[in-house]
Amino acid sequence: MRILLTGAAGFIGTHIAEQARARDHEVVGLDAYLAAAHGPDVAPDPSIARRDLRTDDVDDLLAGVDVVCHQAAMVGNGVDAQDLPAYAEHNDAATARLLAAMARTGVVDLVVASSMVVYGDGRYACERDGDVPPAVRRDDDLEAGRFDPRCPQCGGEITWREIDESTPFLPRTSYAASKVAQEHYAAAWCTLQGARAIALRYHNVYGPGMPADTPYSGVAAIFRSAIARGEAPRVFEDGRQVRDFVHVHDVARANVLALEQVGQHPTGLTAYNVASGRTFTIGEMAATLARAAGGDEPVLTGDFRRFDVRHVVASPDAAREGLGFTAEIAPEDGLARLATDPLRTR
């Protein structure tokens, strides 16, 4: 199978390329080599076409391609509202141009990187009102150290619950909004072209080669970098925020399985959560990294950002049933290894 892989020089893209080639697939790579992700002095891999999907024609790269694996994106939550145009241009306009090129060249199968951020805070259960989305966290609660959201109906206590792919979108950041839009563009393209797409909603991805020092680095990389500097990881809120950390090896394997099976999926877009199926708190993750590296114990700062998601945990059942995907690396093992894994320092 001939695969066009966008973002081929990136953190996840490099792992996908390695696993796809190990299964005897041909990979045609492209990457914009943006300075924000790779640094200003990066030496591009000559085997990867240097193209920017926002502006460059990629029809020639699509010649003879069976399926596209679209990983290229600006990642992270964003710093503030001034990031909105950049996310829209890099993630949404670029995706729209890629889909238009696929329509011109007759490629009808797509695997696209999405994210659990499309769910925002997901869903909760209220003793009085049942299944509810969380209310926006109140400033007075946050300042008083009450970090869990309230019920939007009665204002009472709610508890997080595992969510599946039918959970409504509730984007909270620039990045989240752009990922929702990417899925919508892909779904519209499927309708217009009679095409097939699989959107993989990654949970918190970590592992060797992840970027260490950009404003858009994930929390695992931020903690890992602090430990390497001899500093204690600084954990926001009370450290009890619940997440699912999934190793990049497993994320790449989910992509290869999706690439091999998207042609057998029905017309339209199918979404799958890509998760380890094991919950971890942010505080537990920081402590695991610190212990493995022999560093100082994490510091709970009590600091908060109103837009941060408190808890989000999704069911891995659909990916197991629809793709045959189950994560192989448990977070407690993979996160301990992350303490000494090489990171990309640009």
Side-chain angles (χ1 to χ4, degrees):
M1 184 167 62
R2 185 177 173 90
I3 302 163
L4 176 63
L5 173 62
T6 75
F11 167 44
I12 296 173
T14 54
H15 288 269
I16 293 172
E18 179 181 6
Q19 291 195 30
R21 290 185 175 117
R23 291 174 69 93
D24 296 324
H25 299 304
E26 179 184 1
V27 177
V28 179
L30 75 82
D31 202 291
Y33 283 98
L34 298 173
H38 299 277
D41 303 317
V42 64
D45 182 337
S47 69
I48 296 175
R50 189 167 190 168
R51 303 283 179 90
D52 188 329
L53 291 171
R54 295 172 298 169
T55 55
D56 296 334
D57 190 346
V58 295
D59 291 42
D60 59 319
L61 299 179
L62 286 161
V65 161
D66 299 297
V67 59
V68 170
C69 186
H70 183 33
Q71 303 295 312
M74 183 175 175
V75 299
N77 282 329
V79 176
D80 56 36
Q82 297 309 308
D83 278 334
L84 283 165
Y87 279 102
E89 291 160 8
H90 283 285
N91 297 357
D92 304 332
T95 296
R97 286 178 58 87
L98 173 64
L99 294 171
M102 292 172 68
R104 288 193 297 273
T105 54
V107 180
V108 294
D109 289 329
L110 169 71
V111 174
V112 59
S114 186
S115 173
M116 55 89 177
V117 297
V118 300
Y119 301 125
D121 255 313
R123 306 294 289 187
Y124 286 71
C126 173
E127 188 173 317
R128 196 197 80 168
D129 297 301
D131 174 36
V132 293
V136 174
R137 297 193 294 175
R138 293 169 13 185
D139 289 340
D140 59 339
D141 278 346
L142 293 169
E143 290 165 2
R146 178 194 169 103
F147 299 115
D148 284 317
R150 295 175 181 268
C151 175
Q153 304 298 325
C154 69
E157 299 278 347
I158 53 176
T159 56
W160 66 267
R161 69 174 183 81
E162 194 176 71
I163 54 180
D164 63 19
E165 290 80 357
S166 67
T167 301
F169 292 148
L170 190 65
R172 301 281 297 275
T173 64
S174 307
Y175 177 59
S178 74
K179 283 296 172 182
V180 170
Q182 274 189 312
E183 288 201 30
H184 285 324
Y185 275 114
W189 166 80
C190 287
T191 299
L192 292 167
Q193 297 299 122
R196 297 169 291 262
I198 291 176
L200 298 178
R201 295 174 181 166
Y202 304 157
H203 282 249
N204 295 75
V205 186
Y206 69 95
M210 69 190 303
D213 60 350
T214 82
Y216 311 102
S217 295
V219 66
I222 292 170
F223 291 165
R224 163 73 166 74
S225 297
I227 293 166
R229 294 192 301 269
E231 302 170 2
R234 295 179 61 80
V235 181
F236 278 16
E237 301 184 11
D238 58 4
R240 296 177 184 171
Q241 308 93 309
V242 180
R243 297 289 187 274
D244 185 304
F245 294 93
V246 58
H247 197 276
V248 68
H249 166 84
D250 286 319
V251 172
R253 191 164 56 84
N255 272 275
V256 174
L257 289 170
L259 290 164
E260 292 173 343
Q261 298 177 56
V262 63
Q264 285 73 57
H265 273 59
T267 299
L269 183 140
T270 305
Y272 295 109
N273 294 317
V274 176
S276 73
R278 304 278 292 276
T279 59
F280 241 62
T281 67
I282 299 292
E284 289 170 338
M285 182 268 286
T288 298
L289 283 173
R291 282 194 300 270
D296 293 334
E297 283 294 306
V299 174
L300 299 178
T301 68
D303 295 339
F304 59 85
R305 297 180 298 187
R306 191 164 178 262
F307 63 81
D308 278 344
V309 168
R310 178 61 175 170
H311 308 297
V312 58
V313 177
S315 168
D317 292 348
R320 182 178 62 251
E321 295 165 5
L323 296 176
F325 169 77
T326 301
E328 295 177 340
I329 300 177
E332 54 267 32
D333 298 327
L335 288 167
R337 296 208 303 261
L338 183 64
T340 54
D341 279 339
L343 302 187
R344 177 175 300 184
T345 58
R346 302 192 300 160

